[in-house]
Amino acid sequence: MNKQYLMLNLESDTFKGMKADFDELLQQLLEKLFAGRIADGSISMKLSVSLTETYSETMGKDISVPLFKHKTTANYTEKLENAGAVSLPNTYLEYDEDLGEFVLKPCGGEQDVFAEQEADEATVDVKAIPQDCHRPLQVRDPMCNDCANRDTSACDHCDGCDKWEPTVK
């Protein structure tokens, strides 16, 4: 007499779907690691087992029917990043009480981006500075356009020279 059964171990076909899900997540994790998109990761696999008692007409007795539920999870931190910078010459940051938010305001100078703007316009559209530009948006002290000094008392050359950026107090 030939016995028919399914083995209950990880090597058997009983858990074929669980192994396929694990293998799929493992390949995705390895791909992200190899591409340098993540530094490390982990895979967790959970198997829940429950039994339901039922009567089998064909066998003429009560039987236990197992239910195997699996969940396979890959955990990792993937860093997705877009970058850029905006720095507008001759502007400064100020809180606008009417708007309830911070705005950039002009402080004059040769490169005044607001100069051509109509008096009743509230905003100006400017293109972003390319990503490789290292001039972040900042509120800064006045700067000498000749030597880039920001402290007039520290440099006799800059004290009172006419190459300073204008400021609004």
Side-chain angles (χ1 to χ4, degrees):
M1 181 172 181
N2 190 6
K3 290 188 176 184
Q4 293 183 346
Y5 54 86
L6 290 173
M7 295 294 296
L8 294 177
N9 57 48
L10 286 178
E11 288 82 30
S12 74
D13 286 342
T14 306
F15 301 107
K16 188 177 183 178
M18 182 175 72
K19 291 187 298 186
D21 289 347
F22 180 90
D23 291 343
E24 180 182 344
L25 287 180
L26 177 61
Q27 290 302 310
Q28 291 175 12
L29 180 64
L30 292 171
E31 179 184 334
K32 291 175 188 301
L33 284 165
F34 187 76
R37 292 174 23 207
I38 61 173
D40 59 15
S42 64
I43 299 177
S44 302
M45 185 166 40
K46 179 181 178 182
L47 178 64
S48 299
V49 182
S50 62
L51 291 176
T52 304
E53 297 293 325
T54 188
Y55 181 78
S56 170
E57 293 287 334
T58 57
M59 296 178 70
K61 65 178 184 176
D62 286 332
I63 59 171
S64 297
V65 178
L67 175 62
F68 301 100
K69 290 183 179 180
H70 73 272
K71 184 175 185 178
T72 310
T73 308
N75 294 306
Y76 52 86
T77 301
E78 184 171 4
K79 184 176 183 180
L80 302 175
E81 183 176 272
N82 290 332
V86 174
S87 180
L88 302 176
N90 300 310
T91 60
Y92 69 100
L93 188 67
E94 184 175 279
Y95 186 80
D96 186 302
E97 296 287 337
D98 295 333
L99 294 174
E101 57 188 52
F102 285 93
V103 297
L104 284 177
K105 291 197 170 183
C107 59
E110 293 176 17
Q111 299 176 347
D112 188 348
V113 295
F114 297 94
E116 297 176 13
Q117 188 176 349
E118 295 294 324
D120 59 330
E121 291 184 50
T123 62
V124 61
D125 292 327
V126 294
K127 291 188 177 189
I129 294 174
Q131 178 177 339
D132 58 350
C133 181
H134 299 289
R135 293 180 53 206
L137 179 64
Q138 58 185 331
V139 176
R140 59 181 188 246
D141 294 327
M143 179 178 77
C144 177
N145 289 317
D146 186 37
C147 70
N149 185 11
R150 294 200 183 275
D151 183 4
T152 58
S153 64
C155 179
D156 292 333
H157 168 76
C158 294
D159 191 20
C161 84
D162 61 351
K163 296 184 179 182
W164 281 85
E165 292 180 349
T167 61
V168 175
K169 297 276 184 191

